[in-house]
Amino acid sequence: MKVVVVGCTHAGTSAVKTILNEHPNTEVSVFERNDNVSFLSCGIALYVGGVVKDPAGLFYSNPEELTGMGATVHMEHNVTNIDTVAKKVTVENMQTGEIFEESYDKLVNTTGSWPIVPPISGIESKNILLCKNYNQANEIISQAKDKQKVVIVGGGYIGIELVEAFAESGKDVTLIDGLDRILNKYLDPEFTDILEHDLQERGIKLALNQTVNGFEANENGEVTKVVTSENSFETEMVIMCVGFRPNNELLKDKVDMLPNGAIIVDEYMRTSDKDIYAAGDSCAVHYNPNGGSAYIPLATNAVRMGTLVGKNIVEPSVKYRGTQSTSGLYLFGFNIGSTGVNVNSASHFGLDVRSVVVEDYYRPEFMPTNEKVLMKLVYEVGTNRIVGGQVMSKYDITQSANTLSLAVQNKMTIEDLAYVDFFFQPVFDRPWNYLNLLAQAAVEQERKIAKGTEVTA
């Protein structure tokens, strides 16, 4: 069997490795238009901030490893067309200009995503950068050396991590976001209020609920000012982090997609064309909180989906378990984890929810040191099924987000979590684990509502 892999992102790398590990006689040809493979973009801020000194560790694999496993790897080769009827791809060698065709029995589309570039006046100015791949990371580091004023546009994970990296290096940082809160997709106001206050205490300027209307540049074409709907900010460098779009132009109108262009796959990673598989940021995922499809570009999804492509490329054998969009973040000493929907996003996914917020200590008060834990549990009205959760503390409790993720995936109720068996040891937790206490607060809330003694919004 001949397999063509288009794009060697995390998903592509995982697919190639699994295919060749489990089906070593498969002929695998990889086409990647960049000069490197599988860069961990979630590590860019650590690289920019100097925490990671050697960027080699930010690559999930390399062409040499894949070649050693038996793949034919074509770097700096751009696939310009996929003929799904004739089952062949047209490829351009970006170094020589040579154009050729390659046939396939199965095709794996792992073309990933690309940063959204809004059509804003002046966005073509120099020193306005994107933040996605290795080359862009190096450009950010190079440009930042002699810059003091930096504007980040976009308050998601990548944007907020860059804010921290630049602030820690002594830069004058401004964060602009069109929404009224940072990290809006992941956390509710009880958490973001604390984080925003902390950022401002550190001298970081927040320009929230403001849209960027334009960029102004000097006579050399270098950006000097960002103009928003409410204000203007002087700057020497701008980094755009407003989101990502799937890279699926090659398969447009050839396989089923969501309105935003994300490819729809079944539980075995097959597209609507039985000979085309897809994985990673180019795809929609099965979102367990509501049982529907969603576009959630995360490296964790990509690695899992790519692995499943490899396991199912010969015949369907291992089903995709779906995702809860579980994520973690370290920000200025705060350890943050989230999974599933929050109250803000629940209605977007068609869910009617209630929630509880609990603040407690992670271990007994008699211990010589301790830290508070802020927690929120989101559950479905009527079924009490857990559909999301958030945790934050100066103590590292982020693995609890994984526990909540498992609860969402397995359709556990608040009662299940309230009384599930967790160990007790005073060094680590309390006789009732803090997640038990969180769920017990939800159970008590439901008891009061049933008795008519508590009113919820």
Side-chain angles (χ1 to χ4, degrees), residues 48 124-130 135-151 166 169 171 220-224 235-239:
V48 169
E124 72 285 350
S125 303
K126 296 177 183 177
N127 304 340
I128 298 179
L129 308 176
L130 301 177
N135 294 328
Q136 290 168 348
N138 283 328
E139 182 67 16
I140 290 171
I141 292 171
S142 174
Q143 297 238 6
K145 287 179 181 178
D146 61 350
K147 306 292 191 300
Q148 182 59 29
K149 294 183 177 181
V150 181
V151 169
F166 285 124
S169 62
K171 307 289 186 187
N220 297 320
E222 299 166 334
V223 66
T224 58
T235 189
E236 297 169 285
M237 184 169 74
V238 175
I239 304 177

